[in-house]
Amino acid sequence: MWKRPVLVSGPLGIVSWTELAFFVMFIALLVWSFATDLRRSFLDIERTGPMDGDKMWEAKLERSGLWLGNVGNIALAFLFFPVTRVSSVLPLFGLTSEASIKYHIWLGHIVMVLFTTHGLVYILYWALTHRISEMVKWQKTEISNVAGEISLLAGLGLWATTFPRVRRKMFELFFYTHYLYILFMLFFVFHVSFYYSCIMLPGFYLFLVDRFLRLLQSRGCARLVSARVLPCDTVELNFSKTPGLEYTPASIMFINVPSLSKLQWHPFTISSNSNLEKDKLSIIIKNEGAWSKKLYQILSSPSPPDRLEISVEGPYGPTPTQFLRYEKLVMVSGGSGVTPFISIIREFIFTSTAFKSMTPKLTLICAFKNSSELTMLDLVLPISGTPSDLSNLQLQIEAYVTREKEATTQSPKQARAVWFKPSLLDEPLYAILGPSGWLWLGAIISVSFVMFLILIGIITRYYIYPIDPNQNEFPITVRAVLNILVMCVCIVIVASTAFVWNKRTNAKEAKQIKHLNGSAGVHSPDSGLYNAERELESLPHQSLVQATNLHFGERPDLKSKCWIKPHIKI
């Protein structure tokens, strides 16, 4: 019951009872923290009297602004956990970064509301007490007001583009302005000093480790073996991978094509299965935007390129689901939303073939606008699949074409395969930290943080302390810069060492794959060598055709059917 949605629309999105309970408790924590600290401050002011010649209400106004900022620090402490993709925390709660984005959105709004109110209260206080000059002061050993204002302006610029109307219409503007978080965090540390910013250090430290590991992975070029071009403006990209790279069904991967845009990274669902396809990873891209339209035009042209340079990041997947414990699975999709279910079906293909075990009855209910989109069902089977792949499955596909009353008499266009030449610069996809990635991640975090503490201790003892022996006159900004610099250096050294160590291990498997591809010959169906004239086998296979029921001019009526009620829905 706690996992059921209680809210399905509104500013919070789809929220379960558990999420709503934690959200309410978190808001209660912030309110309680603000109220208790403010009450204690007011009692101190009433007992000792206001300072600096302020009136009683002016002193209370200043304290209100102070504690608003401190409560904002509590929300900021949790802000970076949901967006840490290679996370060591979220899997403990059965969460992924994709499923936790809404928590980041909630926390971001809370942080900016509290910090904006904090800044406005102080500006009002300075204006009323005739101290507006405080806005341009950068104190050497105290709180820097200018740094706080710069941090707030960067946060406001970032925040303004996060609202749905702006984000959906101008996503690139939203994406690029999000890099203002660098200025926001840097000047936030300058504003409050590194000591008081340590409340948000755990989450931000994990984010920095994650961000650098992703940077290391995305610098290489992935080996693109082939592409399957469908007549419904859809393309399947097939990459070479090492057998050690494993992922769960419905995982996603980010890709970047420098020839289209050096800055744009787009996430796509992985349609292949790491158990069924040990040396290949596939993603499906639907032509639905300017970037994907350019990619489709390049690959569907009569003379596609010999090689396409692509960088990847990921894969990132949900926690494994024990599908075999159910008697029947019902999967409902619309259009390109069928992609994650393709990887699930391939998982059952592997299970039924490798272990000869009984699999659940599978019902795929999919709706398409036009009959040309039915060719997306061809992707259920891998490019090297055989008609016997579905023979051991109890698969039923109910395909609905909503905008056509009957099947077209024209012969449907066939899918086309495009093969690419290998390059010495391209590498098969591999797990960035190896099969024991969680263990390496824990080692990177632990070792780098211990190194950070040791180096900061040495710098404090032999550099800061001789200059400032207990006089508290060492510049706050300089100390913050030293701490940030040492922290980043420690992360870079330890993460790079772990990355290079695992890359050497993965290089052995990569060489084996290159050798096999090089000796297979240009006409081998599994070869990465260029063969532009090669077409796919006649698809869909007969077993896939027999498992599919077509419905024209109607939508699936889930309420009146018996597919859903006693079974698991996806």
Side-chain angles (χ1 to χ4, degrees), residues 419-555:
W419 299 83
F420 300 97
K421 288 182 179 179
S423 172
L424 295 177
L425 300 177
D426 298 339
E427 297 179 341
L429 304 182
Y430 55 85
I432 184 172
L433 293 177
S436 302
W438 62 273
L439 187 60
W440 277 101
L441 182 61
I444 292 172
I445 295 170
S446 304
V447 173
S448 62
F449 192 71
V450 171
M451 183 186 298
F452 163 70
L453 294 178
I454 293 174
L455 291 178
I456 284 298
I458 294 173
I459 292 174
T460 302
R461 176 65 182 84
Y462 295 101
Y463 177 66
I464 296 177
Y465 181 76
I467 298 176
D468 182 22
N470 297 325
Q471 295 180 11
N472 196 28
E473 293 181 356
F474 195 87
I476 288 179
T477 303
V478 176
R479 182 174 293 192
V481 170
L482 287 174
N483 279 270
I484 295 173
L485 182 62
V486 172
M487 182 174 64
C488 293
V489 168
C490 293
I491 291 174
V492 169
I493 292 175
V494 178
S496 299
T497 302
F499 174 78
V500 172
W501 182 279
N502 281 281
K503 189 173 183 178
R504 289 180 179 178
T505 304
N506 293 320
K508 298 178 181 179
E509 295 184 2
K511 287 181 180 179
Q512 294 176 358
I513 294 176
K514 289 181 181 179
H515 177 73
L516 290 175
N517 286 344
S519 61
V522 293
H523 295 290
S524 172
D526 296 322
S527 172
L529 300 180
Y530 179 71
N531 187 359
E533 299 302 324
R534 173 180 168 80
E535 298 293 334
L536 294 176
E537 295 84 355
S538 57
L539 290 175
H541 296 298
Q542 189 63 28
S543 56
L544 184 60
V545 174
Q546 294 174 353
T548 304
N549 294 325
L550 298 180
H551 308 268
F552 289 90
E554 58 179 306
R555 300 176 181 271

Side-chain angles (χ1 to χ4, degrees), residues 212-223:
F212 185 69
L213 288 173
R214 287 158 47 193
L215 176 65
L216 291 175
Q217 184 188 25
S218 61
R219 290 184 64 189
C221 296
R223 170 166 293 187

Side-chain angles (χ1 to χ4, degrees), residues 49-62:
M51 301 177 64
D52 299 330
D54 290 343
K55 298 178 182 179
M56 185 69 70
W57 68 270
E58 292 173 343
K60 290 184 177 180
L61 178 64
E62 189 272 338

Side-chain angles (χ1 to χ4, degrees), residues 11-76:
L12 297 180
I14 300 177
V15 184
S16 67
W17 283 104
T18 302
E19 293 169 334
L20 182 62
F22 273 96
F23 180 78
V24 172
M25 286 191 292
F26 186 76
I27 297 297
L29 168 66
L30 299 182
V31 173
W32 172 82
S33 178
F34 177 72
T36 53
D37 291 336
L38 195 62
R39 180 176 177 273
R40 187 178 67 252
S41 295
F42 284 1
L43 291 176
D44 291 341
I45 294 174
E46 293 172 355
R47 184 176 62 253
T48 61
M51 301 177 64
D52 299 330
D54 290 343
K55 298 178 182 179
M56 185 69 70
W57 68 270
E58 292 173 343
K60 290 184 177 180
L61 178 64
E62 189 272 338
R63 291 297 177 91
S64 299
L66 172 65
W67 291 115
L68 280 168
N70 284 344
V71 172
N73 290 349
I74 299 176
L76 183 63

Side-chain angles (χ1 to χ4, degrees), residues 125-333:
Y125 166 72
W126 291 327
L128 293 174
T129 57
H130 307 288
R131 301 174 188 170
I132 202 68
S133 61
E134 293 287 336
M135 291 186 63
V136 295
K137 287 186 177 181
W138 190 305
Q139 299 286 355
K140 180 179 179 181
T141 58
E142 298 178 4
I143 295 295
S144 172
N145 296 330
V146 175
E149 292 156 8
I150 295 175
S151 176
L152 180 59
L153 288 176
L156 290 174
L158 185 156
W159 190 29
T161 62
T162 60
F163 294 93
R165 290 186 178 180
V166 179
R167 187 180 71 246
R168 292 171 181 171
K169 293 183 179 180
M170 296 177 286
F171 182 81
E172 291 188 11
L173 176 65
F174 155 78
F175 181 80
Y176 296 137
T177 54
H178 236 62
Y179 283 100
L180 288 173
Y181 81 87
I182 299 174
L183 292 178
F184 173 78
M185 294 303 301
L186 181 63
F187 284 92
F188 170 80
V189 176
F190 292 164
H191 174 58
V192 302
S193 80
F194 192 84
Y195 177 80
Y196 285 103
S197 63
C198 284
I199 186 175
M200 62 84 188
L201 183 59
F204 191 61
Y205 197 91
L206 292 180
F207 175 77
L208 290 178
V209 173
D210 168 79
R211 194 66 190 87
F212 185 69
L213 288 173
R214 287 158 47 193
L215 176 65
L216 291 175
Q217 184 188 25
S218 61
R219 290 184 64 189
C221 296
R223 170 166 293 187
L224 181 61
V225 177
S226 64
R228 181 157 37 161
V229 182
L230 302 182
C232 59
D233 292 345
T234 302
V235 62
E236 178 191 54
L237 301 181
N238 301 292
F239 297 89
S240 175
K241 80 173 187 70
T242 61
L245 177 58
E246 297 182 352
Y247 47 88
T248 56
S251 296
I252 69 167
M253 185 174 70
F254 288 79
I255 73 168
N256 169 262
V257 184
S259 60
L260 300 180
S261 173
K262 294 183 179 180
L263 298 177
Q264 293 188 40
W265 287 83
H266 295 265
F268 296 100
T269 304
I270 298 176
S271 59
S272 58
N273 182 269
S274 59
N275 293 319
L276 183 65
E277 300 149 279
K278 292 290 186 180
D279 58 352
K280 190 188 71 171
L281 183 147
S282 304
I283 60 173
I284 297 175
I285 301 176
K286 177 71 173 177
N287 180 5
E288 293 182 346
W291 184 90
S292 57
K293 182 178 180 180
K294 293 178 182 178
L295 179 63
Y296 183 81
Q297 289 175 347
I298 291 174
L299 296 177
S300 61
S301 63
S303 56
D306 294 350
R307 176 179 174 267
L308 191 63
E309 182 179 339
I310 295 181
S311 299
V312 303
E313 186 184 304
Y316 309 109
T319 54
T321 303
Q322 301 299 325
F323 296 113
L324 291 176
R325 66 180 181 175
Y326 301 103
E327 294 183 359
K328 185 172 183 178
L329 270 67
V330 177
M331 302 170 285
V332 184
S333 70

